[in-house]
Amino acid sequence: MEKDFYEQIRDYISSQEYGYEWFCILLGVFFVCSAIGNWNWVFDPPYNSVKNPIGYWYGRTAFRVTVFIFGMILIVLSVFVILK
């Protein structure tokens, strides 16, 4: 049976040395860039719904700051694991 796309990606990432850590670094860079760039396609759809309490209660700026902090945490922790 042939593997679907997501299984192939998962297998490829897990076969690489520090595969998940590099993926987390890329994800963190994406989050940081999206928060700094204020990308509408990232922050417009769900940020003001009840499903996202930070955006709903405190607004778009607080949601961007939260995404920025989360991205930085991903980057720092991944680099720490790679250098450890």
Side-chain angles (χ1 to χ4, degrees), residues 53-72:
I54 295 171
Y56 184 73
W57 292 330
Y58 301 112
R60 182 180 177 128
T61 304
F63 185 51
R64 286 179 55 211
V65 169
T66 304
V67 169
F68 178 81
I69 291 171
F70 180 69
M72 290 303 294

Side-chain angles (χ1 to χ4, degrees), residues 3 13-14 16 18 28 41 48 51 67 70 75 78 81-82:
K3 295 181 181 180
I13 290 174
S14 64
Q16 302 298 312
Y18 302 117
W41 62 274
N48 59 358
K51 295 177 185 176
V67 169
F70 180 69
I75 293 169
S78 298
V81 169
I82 289 174

Side-chain angles (χ1 to χ4, degrees), residues 4-66:
D4 67 351
F5 179 71
Y6 295 110
E7 289 176 343
Q8 290 175 355
I9 296 267
R10 185 192 65 216
D11 292 343
Y12 175 75
I13 290 174
S14 64
S15 69
Q16 302 298 312
E17 182 178 12
Y18 302 117
Y20 289 110
E21 289 82 0
W22 286 111
F23 177 74
C24 287
I25 288 173
L26 288 175
L27 190 62
V29 168
F30 171 77
F31 286 153
V32 167
C33 290
S34 68
I36 291 172
N38 195 14
W39 296 342
N40 286 332
W41 62 274
V42 175
F43 295 108
D44 273 348
Y47 95 90
N48 59 358
S49 69
V50 179
K51 295 177 185 176
N52 179 359
I54 295 171
Y56 184 73
W57 292 330
Y58 301 112
R60 182 180 177 128
T61 304
F63 185 51
R64 286 179 55 211
V65 169
T66 304

